[in-house]
Amino acid sequence: MPGSYNYFKIQIRYFFRKTLPSSNKILDVGPGIGTYYDLLNDIGYDMDCVEIFAPYIKKYKLKEKYNNVYEGSIVDFDFSKYDCIILGDILEHLTVDDAKKILKTITKNKQKCLVAVPYEMEQGESEGNIYETHLQPDLTPKIMLERYPDLKLLIGNDLYGYYINK
C-alpha cells in the first residue's frame, strides 16, 4: 500500500527534530503518498525521493512535494550524497540480500538511516503494482535484529517497528 501505519509518527518527527539538523539532505525511498514529506517538510530539510512505481509519482503529486523525484529502484540508485535515508515500509519489499547490501552501503557511507517495517505481514500486488509484494513477510523484532545487526529498535509495538542504524 502506498501509505503506512500511523504508529509513532509524532515520536519520529520529534526524533528527527532532535537528532538531525535541518540543513541535512534526506532521501525518502518509496514515498508512496509522501508520508515522511508531510511529517517533516516544515522542519526545513532538503528532501528528495526515489519511487519505483511511476503511476504513484503523478497520482500522489510527488513532484509538488519533493525537491527532486527520481523514478527507479533504490537497489540501483546512487544515494551517496544524502545525509539520511528513510526506508519507510521498504525493507519488506526487498530481498534479504538487496536489503543487506543497501544497509551495508549506508553504514559504509556513515549516513543516518530510519527503517520502518510492519511485522509478519503478507502482501501481494496492489493497484497493479507488483512492487507492493512483501518479499520478507516474516519480519519480527527478533528477526530484524538477527538479519540486520547494524540496526537497533528505536520504537515499536507488536505490529510495527522503527529502527535506526547504530
Side-chain angles (χ1 to χ4, degrees):
M1 307 298 162
S4 65
Y5 285 126
N6 284 324
Y7 300 123
F8 313 114
K9 295 297 192 255
I10 292 169
Q11 293 90 333
I12 294 305
R13 179 178 164 80
Y14 179 80
F15 173 78
F16 269 80
R17 288 186 67 186
K18 293 297 179 192
T19 63
L20 197 67
S22 62
S23 60
N24 278 212
K25 190 167 180 68
I26 296 175
L27 179 67
D28 187 359
V29 179
I33 63 174
T35 298
Y36 293 97
Y37 174 87
D38 294 340
L39 188 67
L40 303 171
N41 76 339
D42 66 331
I43 297 174
Y45 298 117
D46 180 0
M47 293 183 74
D48 292 347
C49 73
V50 59
E51 174 58 59
I52 196 168
F53 190 59
Y56 283 177
I57 294 171
K58 185 175 181 181
K59 181 176 183 177
Y60 299 113
K61 301 177 181 169
L62 299 179
K63 289 184 179 179
E64 294 175 19
K65 295 181 175 192
Y66 295 90
N67 293 329
N68 295 291
V69 176
Y70 302 99
E71 181 185 339
S73 170
I74 189 60
V75 174
D76 306 314
F77 190 81
D78 177 9
F79 50 85
S80 61
K81 67 181 179 182
Y82 295 93
D83 301 299
C84 179
I85 313 298
I86 298 175
L87 298 168
D89 291 80
I90 295 302
L91 221 60
E92 67 274 15
H93 299 277
L94 300 170
T95 66
V96 172
D97 287 344
D98 283 343
K100 285 182 175 184
K101 177 183 162 193
I102 290 164
L103 291 170
K104 182 178 179 179
T105 301
I106 290 169
T107 299
K108 184 185 90 176
N109 292 346
K110 296 184 168 104
Q111 295 164 296
K112 294 187 185 300
C113 182
L114 177 75
V115 174
V117 294
Y119 297 136
E120 298 184 304
M121 180 180 274
E122 294 275 348
Q123 180 175 292
E125 98 175 43
S126 176
E127 299 182 36
N129 182 354
I130 61 168
Y131 303 109
E132 289 288 357
T133 303
H134 286 188
L135 303 179
Q136 296 184 70
D138 61 337
L139 295 175
T140 63
K142 182 179 182 214
I143 288 174
M144 281 295 294
L145 297 177
E146 289 171 357
R147 198 172 283 169
Y148 306 107
D150 290 336
L151 296 177
K152 67 178 180 178
L153 182 65
L154 178 64
I155 191 168
N157 61 21
D158 291 343
L159 299 173
Y160 200 69
Y162 276 100
Y163 295 80
I164 54 174
N165 50 342
K166 295 180 181 175

